[in-house]
Amino acid sequence: MQTQTTDSKEIAFQKRIDAGDKIEPKDWMPEKYRKQLIRMMSQHAHSEIVGMLPEGNWITRAPSLRRKASLLAKVQDEAGHGLYLYSAAETLGISRDELIEQLHSGKAKYSSIFNYPTLSWADIGAIGWLVDGAAIINQVALTRASYGPYARAMVRICKEESFHQRQGFEIMNTLANGTAAQKKMAQDALNRWWWPSLMMFGPPDAESPNSTDLMAWRVKSDSNDTLRQKFVDRVAPQAEFMGLRIPDDQLKYHEETESYTFGTIDWAEFNQVIKGNGPCNKQRIRARVKAHEDGNWVREAALAYAEKHSKTA
Ligand code: FAQ
């Protein structure tokens, strides 16, 4: 029997992708597909875990027991999302230790948005409403990703994110319709989180080096700019409903296209943040490294227990 060459395997692989097949961990895949997925999925997992920090900062200061319970549950959900995604990335042949090391050393990125500080309670509303709102738009598209374990993790994650988005919207709406001081706090949070939320979708299409491959492999089904536009079209009327002003003088609705045009994003700021020079990058990595070191004894104890029981089994 003739052995298949790498080229013919790649052609067969692309045919499966084009036919809408899901690729599973034991299936043959091109090395560059595997590497791209590890990059993207691990960054996503790291984002969920680092993303717990800005909100975790407010758990002890939530204004009521109801708000505290829902924030606590939300932050815990983000930890769960990180774990599903680390497990899904491990199916591609990379270990959890390697993934964590890449985060701590700065080799792997995590979402730029989590390098901004949470200065007031309204920031918790803004994160749920805008950041989870942006994450849902991005991740609903990823439920159709060609890699089975990623797509399946996304289905569950999206369901949970939609609760998160609603709790954020409810916080913002309550503040926006509260006292003048509360409304001011909500507006200030929107002013600070708006542009970084637009940056979450990644650089403009023309400057997105990974999109071509990821779209050809049906990992990404929409481009960065397409998803960003969807987000603006969804969120702008919500801001108006709450009586809040999006901090963009160029934001304009067009009846004919039923969509908005908006001002220019400060890509220099985005590039600085992803290079490690955002307001909180160093603090975030320090917190993650410390949490990992503080958890060493738990991992050691669990491994010792597993080893002892494998010997007695
Ligand atoms: N931040 O070629 P592209 C959440 C990097 S989860 C940092 O366009 P790609 C839930 C990119 O990695 C939020 N880096 O890249 C939550 C690449 O650098 P590299 C995370 C960014 O992969 C809520 C370079 O720029 N979601 O929020 C960013 O095609 C509340 C060139 O970019 C996901 O990860 C950025 N924003 O598109 C949790 C979703 N954008 O790696 C807690 C999955 C780009 O070559 C609280 N990921 N870069 O060195 C994706 O959809 C894609 O990876 C994109 C980027 C759209 C993020």
Side-chain angles (χ1 to χ4, degrees):
M1 205 175 93
Q2 210 180 1
T3 52
Q4 272 193 308
T5 62
T6 305
D7 279 358
S8 66
K9 279 186 186 167
E10 277 193 21
I11 292 167
F13 175 82
Q14 191 62 47
K15 270 198 186 146
R16 288 190 62 195
I17 299 262
D18 296 342
D21 269 13
K22 288 273 180 265
I23 307 299
E24 296 299 337
K26 289 187 177 160
D27 295 348
W28 185 87
M29 61 186 83
E31 191 53 18
K32 47 191 184 174
Y33 176 85
R34 195 181 70 83
K35 287 214 168 107
Q36 266 287 15
L37 276 173
I38 291 178
R39 180 194 67 84
M40 182 169 158
M41 289 164 64
S42 69
Q43 288 189 8
H44 195 167
H46 299 324
S47 304
E48 301 281 357
I49 298 294
V50 177
M52 295 164 74
L53 295 167
E55 289 177 297
N57 182 32
W58 278 88
I59 290 172
T60 55
R61 293 178 287 166
S64 69
L65 189 56
R66 176 170 173 260
R67 294 287 190 216
K68 189 197 284 260
S70 23
L71 181 59
L72 198 58
K74 177 190 192 297
V75 173
Q76 190 173 311
D77 283 352
E78 309 299 359
H81 297 174
L83 296 184
Y84 311 151
L85 290 167
Y86 281 131
S87 300
E90 283 177 287
T91 64
L92 292 157
I94 186 160
S95 71
R96 183 80 58 103
D97 285 346
E98 284 172 282
L99 292 169
I100 302 293
E101 202 282 320
Q102 289 179 356
L103 171 68
H104 293 178
S105 69
K107 182 168 179 246
K109 294 188 172 72
Y110 58 88
S111 184
S112 48
I113 192 79
F114 301 119
N115 292 304
Y116 292 85
T118 39
L119 304 179
S120 79
W121 172 250
D123 289 22
I124 301 306
I127 291 181
W129 173 42
L130 297 174
V131 177
D132 286 273
I136 292 171
I137 288 183
N138 171 278
Q139 290 170 183
V140 164
L142 293 172
T143 60
R144 298 186 291 272
S146 56
Y147 190 55
Y150 194 26
R152 290 189 288 273
M154 282 300 119
V155 173
R156 178 158 175 186
I157 291 176
C158 284
K159 285 191 182 141
E160 294 178 354
E161 300 289 26
S162 102
F163 280 107
H164 300 169
Q165 194 272 347
R166 283 179 232 179
Q167 69 92 43
F169 182 84
E170 201 209 344
I171 292 172
M172 282 305 260
N173 198 28
T174 304
L175 292 173
N177 290 289
T179 64
Q182 286 171 326
K183 181 162 188 180
K184 195 165 165 230
M185 205 198 276
Q187 183 62 55
D188 171 62
L190 172 56
N191 292 348
R192 285 179 293 103
W193 290 91
W194 175 252
W195 292 104
S197 298
L198 296 191
M199 293 174 196
M200 278 179 75
F201 294 92
D205 293 351
E207 288 156 40
S208 164
N210 301 296
S211 281
T212 312
D213 278 349
L214 289 172
M215 289 179 78
W217 290 322
R218 248 184 354 91
V219 175
K220 279 164 88 160
S221 47
D222 295 291
S223 76
N224 298 356
D225 286 332
T226 304
L227 293 174
R228 190 168 12 249
Q229 181 68 50
K230 229 183 223 182
F231 174 73
V232 174
D233 290 342
R234 183 169 300 176
V235 165
Q238 295 173 350
E240 198 181 327
F241 171 83
M242 291 191 274
L244 296 174
R245 187 190 161 276
I246 288 181
D248 178 357
D249 291 337
Q250 285 164 273
L251 186 77
K252 191 166 182 295
Y253 184 67
H254 303 272
E255 294 275 353
E256 30 345 321
T257 54
E258 294 182 344
S259 93
Y260 290 78
T261 44
F262 51 94
T264 311
I265 295 170
D266 182 352
W267 292 113
E269 174 181 325
F270 171 78
N271 286 324
Q272 279 304 314
V273 174
I274 67 171
K275 266 194 216 142
N277 303 322
C280 301
N281 295 59
K282 292 185 181 62
Q283 182 185 333
R284 299 289 182 244
I285 290 298
R286 247 196 333 265
R288 285 310 317 152
V289 171
K290 181 174 184 309
H292 191 69
E293 286 170 355
D294 290 349
N296 259 342
W297 70 270
V298 180
R299 286 186 296 279
E300 279 170 15
L303 283 175
Y305 180 86
E307 202 175 313
K308 182 172 171 219
H309 285 268
S310 71
K311 277 180 192 150
T312 52

